[in-house]
Amino acid sequence: MGVLNGKVRPGDTVVVMGAGPIGLAAIATARLYSPNQIIAIDPVDARLEAARRFGADITLGTGGDIRSAVAERTGGLGADVAIEAVGIPETFESCTRLVRPGGHVANIGVHGRPAVLHLEDLWIRNLTITTGLVDTSSTPTLLSMVAAGRLDPGQFITHRFGLEDMEKAYEVFSNAQDTGALKVVLTRD
């Protein structure tokens, strides 16, 4: 949804805020539209490494000046598209500051708290802001791309456990920052 709602086009600079499974899916599908560069932003090193495997060209931690880093890589203009895949007010607001005039912010993160829309800063920049979660409209296309080998959903699976190890699987998944878990699969032997 982030790629479609953000209207990613060939040659675009795409920022993906958050490199969890939702952000990684946005990176993988944005790659299909031949952007100039994909910049992934996340505070966790393991997720930034995953972002590189999924096709991010540049990865940034959250410790520095992200706005300057994106501006440096875009000739001072900002990204064409920023995809918010975290779901917290700070990352949404950051995405609105990272896009260039006329850019698109596609919010696909699930928000549990209000985020401020700074219209005093945004009104002059002609931004398009969309929201939306996964729907089934793109499922047939995605499945055909998986069948054709253009998308690999298996890369999301980082850990496998038998059903008898369900508690260990939950422990690994709940400590994803330390274990690097993206998706955990449980199987019957």
Side-chain angles (χ1 to χ4, degrees), residues 16-174:
V16 178
M17 181 71 71
I22 293 171
L24 295 173
I27 291 168
T29 54
R31 182 65 51 221
L32 298 169
Y33 289 83
S34 301
N36 180 48
Q37 59 185 340
I38 298 174
I39 302 170
I41 302 169
D42 198 280
V44 179
D45 288 339
R47 288 188 170 191
L48 293 175
E49 177 56 38
R52 287 187 283 278
R53 287 194 314 270
F54 276 71
D57 301 295
I58 300 163
T59 56
L60 302 171
T62 56
D65 183 356
I66 296 167
R67 191 172 184 182
S68 292
V70 171
E72 179 182 318
R73 289 161 175 84
T74 60
L77 293 174
D80 298 286
V81 178
I83 300 173
E84 197 286 338
V86 180
I88 60 173
E90 295 81 10
T91 55
F92 172 77
E93 292 169 26
S94 182
C95 282
T96 65
R97 291 187 299 270
L98 295 176
V99 292
R100 68 182 63 211
H104 295 261
V105 176
N107 188 95
I108 56 175
V110 179
H111 288 266
R113 308 187 317 239
V116 176
L117 189 58
H118 289 281
L119 290 177
E120 74 278 7
D121 296 326
L122 300 176
W123 72 273
I124 193 75
R125 295 178 49 220
N126 289 334
L127 300 185
T128 299
I129 299 173
T130 59
T131 62
L133 297 177
V134 174
D135 67 25
T136 59
S137 66
S138 61
T139 301
T141 302
L142 294 170
L143 287 174
S144 68
M145 294 181 109
V146 169
R150 300 265 303 149
L151 285 175
D152 177 16
Q155 64 185 340
F156 285 94
I157 301 168
T158 55
H159 296 79
R160 296 177 184 273
F161 296 93
L163 286 177
E164 68 279 1
D165 292 324
M166 187 178 295
E167 287 184 32
K168 183 175 181 181
Y170 275 116
E171 182 180 324
V172 166
F173 189 71
S174 66

